[in-house]
Structure formats: structure tokens, C-alpha cells
Amino acid sequence: MKLYSENSSPFSAPVRVAIYAKGLNIDIEPPPGGLLSAKFHAINSLGTIPCLILESGTPLPESAAIMEYLEDKFPAPPLRPAGPEDKARVRLLQRIGELLIMTPLVELSRQSDPASGDPSAAVWLTRLVRGLSSLQLYVGDEPFATGAQLTLADCELAPALFMLPKIAAAHGKPELLQAYPQIDRYVASSSQHPAIRQVLDEMAPTWKLGKYGARTASG
Ligand SMILES: N[C@@H](CCC(=O)N[C@@H](CS)C(=O)NCC(=O)O)C(=O)O
């Protein structure tokens, strides 16, 4: 099995956290020919990373689908709790992480000149604030988003929140995370997990991020 991924790819980061947390023997490589190449599009018609190549050779794109597959295929150690309500909570926080935090951040980071007043920035910032306001109500005092154990929710949330301070600062909101003390505390506690730490260390150079997403001297 092989995962096409890049260290700079925000949507690939959650999948790599899950792979490292489960200790899976999956080769991780950049997309052949490069992300936008015809060669890679011939393998994955969506043209996106992450893309898992199954043992059968079938490509499986979309980070959420890949994480569900890995959880079903390699259930130990579990990254999904047992009961239906706990499972639903994890899935909800995954959705908030992907749709209301990661996606707005990626869209905001794509704006080459945040000072240009592009109206779509306001839309993405509003969505981001909605995601953070909701997440703040769910994260408690435990190390991970839904309790004492790492779950798929943390795989999704931790890389996004790592990127947040720098992207928010570029859009005039340097203290955005501090407005959500529970989330700020969660960022610090969840990043102690070795699998999360490994992925944040992989992301840091390309995003020019320091510890917990602080700006580096060159960032
Ligand atoms: N919803 C997708 C988003 C994947 C995505 O947009 N990945 C970026 C890299 S982080 C990409 O492949 N961009 C290239 C493109 O959209 O052509 C997922 O969760 O896997």
C-alpha cells in the first residue's frame, strides 16, 4: 500500500497522523510526475493528494475516505471510539475540522495578497470563526478532542490548528486562537502526541511555522 502525499499538503497531514499513530507500514511518496501532472491525473482522476493506492492497485483519494478505510482495515490501535454516540462525536469534530477550519484556512492561504480586500476572505473568515466557536464548546480539559485517547478528530484538527495562527495573522487576526482558550489549550496538549508531533515537524519547514504555528524568523 502506498500513500501519495507531500509534507506541505494540509489535507494529507491528517492521513499521515493516522498512519503514524497506527504504526502502519505504508510507503509515503510524492505524487508521480508532481501534483498537477498528467501522469498523476492518470492515476487519480481527482488529481488531489492525499491518495492511497490500495493493495489491489485501486486509487482511493479524499482524506476522510482514506482515514475511514484505514480504520476499518487496521482497527488496532483504534482511532474511533466504540459506542455510537462517541463515534458520532468524533465524526462531527472531523467534519468541523475539515469543512469549517481546514478548508477556510487553505482558501485563505491561497490568497496571494491578503491586504487586497478580496471579498471571499471575509466569507472564509466567517466560516472559520463559526468552526472555532463550535469546536470551543466541544473540547474539554482532556488532552484530546473527545477525551483521553487520540482519535480521527485529532488527526484532522491538530494540523489545521497548527497552521491557523500564521494564516490568521496574514489576514489581520494574529490573536485569533487566543480568543478560544479551550482550543488554545487543546493545541498544546494534543501536539504532545508523537504522531501529531511528527506531522507538525514535517509541515513546519514548508509553512515556515515554529512551535505550535508561531512565526519563524523567516516566516
Ligand atoms: N477534499 C480533499 C482535498 C484535497 C486537496 O485539495 N488537496 C490539495 C493538496 S493539500 C491538492 O491536491 N490540490 C491540487 C488540486 O486541487 O489540483 C481531501 O480531503 O483529500
Side-chain angles (χ1 to χ4, degrees):
M1 225 180 271
K2 188 187 295 180
L3 180 77
Y4 290 130
S5 165
E6 283 177 356
N7 285 351
S8 59
S9 160
F11 288 105
S12 301
V15 176
R16 295 205 310 280
V17 176
I19 288 174
Y20 299 152
K22 285 178 173 290
L24 301 178
N25 187 17
I26 293 178
D27 292 334
I28 300 178
E29 298 176 9
L35 186 54
L36 301 177
S37 69
K39 190 171 180 184
F40 181 53
H41 279 241
I43 296 168
N44 168 17
S45 57
L46 285 181
T48 54
I49 53 171
C51 179
L52 186 70
I53 306 298
L54 308 187
E55 278 151 6
S56 62
T58 304
L60 178 63
E62 285 297 324
S63 54
I66 297 171
M67 289 195 284
E68 286 293 308
Y69 172 81
L70 293 176
E71 193 59 27
D72 289 339
K73 178 98 175 159
F74 306 104
L79 294 177
R80 240 184 347 220
E85 285 179 21
D86 290 342
K87 264 196 190 106
R89 168 74 64 104
V90 166
R91 288 190 172 119
L92 171 63
L93 295 190
Q94 276 183 268
R95 299 285 285 173
I96 290 174
E98 180 184 350
L99 301 176
L100 295 173
I101 300 178
M102 183 69 93
T103 300
L105 286 172
V106 168
E107 294 299 332
L108 289 167
S109 74
R110 280 185 181 144
Q111 300 198 344
S112 53
D113 179 11
S116 69
D118 184 333
S120 74
V123 174
W124 290 116
L125 277 168
T126 302
R127 198 166 298 184
L128 175 62
V129 164
R130 200 189 305 165
L132 293 171
S133 306
S134 176
L135 180 62
Q136 167 86 359
L137 302 177
Y138 289 105
V139 290
D141 294 327
E142 300 211 71
F144 298 104
T146 61
Q149 303 299 326
L150 181 87
T151 69
L152 292 175
D154 305 294
C155 298
E156 186 69 49
L157 290 165
L161 294 170
F162 179 62
M163 295 161 50
L164 187 146
K166 183 166 185 180
I167 297 169
H171 286 271
K173 302 205 175 299
E175 306 295 326
L176 186 59
L177 208 49
Q178 285 71 44
Y180 302 91
Q182 281 298 97
I183 300 178
D184 205 21
R185 185 211 55 77
Y186 163 72
V187 169
S189 63
S190 63
S191 63
Q192 299 305 311
H193 191 286
I196 292 180
R197 174 56 49 131
Q198 184 174 345
V199 170
L200 301 190
D201 285 348
E202 290 168 355
M203 292 174 78
T206 41
W207 284 88
K208 295 194 174 70
L209 293 168
K211 203 177 176 200
Y212 306 144
R215 274 166 178 269
T216 60
S218 57

